[in-house]
Amino acid sequence: MKNPGFNFKNTYTSLPEIFFKEIRPCVVKKPEIILLNEDLAKEMEINFSLIKSDERAMLLSGNKTLPSMKTFAQAYSGHQFGYFTNLGDGRALMLGEHLTKSGLRLDIQFKGSGKTPFSRHGDGKAVLGPMLREYVVSEAMNALNIPTTRSLSVVKTSEVVFRESPQAGAVLTRVASSHIRVGTFQFAAASREKMFLKALLNYTVNRHYPELNTSNNKALEFLKNVMNNQINLITNWMRVGFVHGVMNTDNMTISGETIDYGPCAFVDNYHPKTVYSSVDHDGRYAFENQPIIAQWNLARFAETLLSLIDENPNKALKQAEEIIKLFPALYKESWLKMMKCKLGLFNENFNDEKLILELLDWMTSASADYTNTFKDIESENFENEIYKNLKFKNWHKKLKERKNLNKRSTSESLKIMKENNPYVIPRNHNLEFALKEADQGNYSHLKKLISVIKKPYKIDKVSKKYTLPPLNSEKILQTFCGT
Ligand code: AMP
Ligand code: MG
């Protein structure tokens, strides 16, 4: 088969062998391409029109591989809902690292391509609905300017995969700056071989933080950098009302990209304790808990690096703790900055945090739509009944007074608001409806939704339909991971 432009140059397999297991993808029946991300393919310098459509389906399902693909599954561990487990790619398979002419190195990975040595009791398969969901939400996140893995394609197979009910099988092709996770470091640390940990640190620093190679304490600086990237990521999630749903340490990347779109969803009626995932019974991963969980995960990450931070365990622990303790203040600074952008505020004022918290309090009591409230404040459109409320009116008066201290033009204020407040997010009810239709073989709603979420900060006639919050009868209260 002709190569449409994949340029595989693998480096991960130069790591010690415990980090991966070579394995080929399973052959699937009748692969059919449902979604192909032409925009992403172009960014990756891949031209699928160079191969015939049935060959595309064969390639993106794993039925045919290119000679340059040396496929393997990655080993990792992780804390799942607080408990440590050995995991690994149980239903994912690395095809290799694709190198673009501009020097980008991208992991290309199948999700749902069959059993691997890490599958445990799972079937190694994925089903169509959740893979389409990952495609839509990850592409929405990218368009919202939030670091994320991307989705190149979803292929449907004619295999029947058993979940709560028999469902159509699917293979998603995921693209990431790497799939190295906090859990990968936990796996290396659990091996108790410092050599393995050191190899992983050197590899990861070279790949993601090469500027740290000359630092006096590489492991410590690495920890700081990963923490900063995670703070940036979580701040962005909070900006758009995103609830990841499964912030286990194996689902936290070292690059700072969002990964593993399972039962994730966007908040519509605001409540800080919002949880969608059907398996998150105690609300561990609720909207407002995401920063504290990120800090908890980073503490687990720091533990893996101790032996590389200092030979003396007490000294190592002290230095790592000092960094992790900085998280709350750094996160708060980042969050405050972001929320001020959402409200169009410049400069510092000691009352800013209070002003923001008052708004969130009112939004909670009014069950205000998270996305639309900020858009309404931005455009000063207070037609909605919920704004005819004394508490809100008083708050808005305070906002106006605060804006007088901006010392910047109204248009500058409007600009930062527009850049930070999306019109369109993949609303749960729109997404569920599109997925239900797709399950019946009608992909038109799904494709329309994708075209709309690709321009979240622009509004036109088509996208306006997607800005409406759900009716009571349309509300989605629970999401499922579908693994
Ligand atoms: P996730 O909840 O998707 O982050 O997955 C957690 C772990 O379960 C990972 O090690 C996955 O590879 C594994 N896993 C999820 N679904 C399956 C499946 N269908 N077959 C085998 N392993 C799976
Ligand atoms: Mg995972």
Side-chain angles (χ1 to χ4, degrees), residues 115 118-123:
K115 280 190 185 170
F118 306 108
S119 294
R120 297 174 290 163
H121 304 297
D123 56 8

Side-chain angles (χ1 to χ4, degrees), residues 462-473:
V462 181
S463 51
K464 210 160 186 165
K465 272 204 314 209
Y466 293 88
T467 65
L468 293 176
L471 301 171
N472 276 340
S473 60

Side-chain angles (χ1 to χ4, degrees), residues 76 181 250-251 260:
Y76 54 84
R181 308 146 191 263
D250 50 302
N251 292 339
D260 261 349

